[in-house]
Every structure is written in structure tokens, then in C-alpha cells.
Amino acid sequence: QVQLVESGGGLVQDGGSLRLSCAASGRTFSYYAMGWFRQAPGKEREFVAAISRNGYTTSLTDSVKGRFTISRDNAKNTVYLQMNRLKPEDTAVYYCAADRVVVTRSQAEYWGQGTQVTVSS
């Protein structure tokens, strides 16, 4: 299996930016499709973004299109979520996810511990 560790969360002002990182270990990183989910207080876990094993295909949920970008660096065994023009409604715990085939809106095999993102108004 793969172990996932997120970092880069924190407190930012409305309109600010953060870059989340997810470092993977345990197997060859390029073996896994990767993604990001988030869970806000009182809400279900929500799909945010996904990227294919080779990085050529990405997807984003509608609420973050134009503001967030997912990318990966297989040489560094790391996936990133660049978050720009953050809004208070983006406040959530963000989770890194991995799957041997594909990360979808409803599935992933492996999960990180989460990192808190708080956007103040």
C-alpha cells in the first residue's frame, strides 16, 4: 500500500492562496492515481480534484474551477493542490487520496490524515 502525508494547510484571509502538498511513500508513486477531497463542518466529504497516474488528465469539482489546480511531480513522489482566491466556504479539512486505477467522486483506496484549511472573512 501507499502512505500519504498532507501538509501546507493553515489560516488565510479571504482571497488568499495556499498550496497543499501530499507526500507518498511505500510504493512507486506513479503507480497511483491521486486526488483531493475535503470535509467542512456539518457536511459530507466532498470530491475536489483528481489527477491520473501520468498527470495528463485532471478533473475539478465545479465550485473550484478557475481557482484550484492539481498537479503532480512523480520524481518527488508528491501531489499538489494550488488554491487561489480562497473563500470562507473553502474552509474544511483537506484529504489526499490515492487509487491504483482512478480516483473518482465516490472512491479512493488510500487516504491521508488530513490538513486543516481555514479562510477568514
Side-chain angles (χ1 to χ4, degrees), residues 61-107:
T61 196
D62 287 344
S63 64
V64 306
K65 286 181 179 176
R67 300 189 296 120
F68 291 12
T69 303
I70 186 171
S71 62
R72 67 190 297 161
D73 186 340
N74 286 351
K76 296 181 178 179
N77 291 352
T78 302
V79 63
Y80 304 97
L81 185 68
Q82 179 67 47
M83 305 185 294
N84 299 323
R85 304 197 308 278
L86 283 160
K87 305 174 182 179
E89 51 263 45
D90 294 318
T91 295
V93 177
Y94 283 71
Y95 297 91
C96 181
D99 194 276
R100 287 174 290 175
V101 180
V102 62
V103 174
T104 72
R105 295 181 181 273
S106 60
Q107 75 157 17

Side-chain angles (χ1 to χ4, degrees), residues 1-119:
Q1 63 178 348
V2 63
Q3 293 79 47
L4 307 172
V5 180
E6 303 97 330
S7 62
L11 174 64
V12 299
Q13 292 181 307
D14 190 358
S17 297
L18 284 174
R19 188 177 73 164
L20 305 184
S21 299
C22 175
S25 63
R27 287 207 62 177
T28 302
F29 180 64
S30 61
Y31 184 79
Y32 298 96
M34 302 294 296
W36 291 93
F37 293 73
R38 66 187 182 186
Q39 187 166 22
K43 299 184 67 176
E44 297 295 315
R45 186 170 295 184
E46 175 191 21
F47 171 83
V48 177
I51 188 166
S52 62
R53 289 174 290 181
N54 58 18
Y56 294 161
T57 303
T58 62
S59 63
L60 295 165
T61 196
D62 287 344
S63 64
V64 306
K65 286 181 179 176
R67 300 189 296 120
F68 291 12
T69 303
I70 186 171
S71 62
R72 67 190 297 161
D73 186 340
N74 286 351
K76 296 181 178 179
N77 291 352
T78 302
V79 63
Y80 304 97
L81 185 68
Q82 179 67 47
M83 305 185 294
N84 299 323
R85 304 197 308 278
L86 283 160
K87 305 174 182 179
E89 51 263 45
D90 294 318
T91 295
V93 177
Y94 283 71
Y95 297 91
C96 181
D99 194 276
R100 287 174 290 175
V101 180
V102 62
V103 174
T104 72
R105 295 181 181 273
S106 60
Q107 75 157 17
E109 291 182 297
Y110 306 103
W111 299 86
Q113 82 289 346
T115 186
Q116 177 72 47
V117 172
T118 302
V119 185

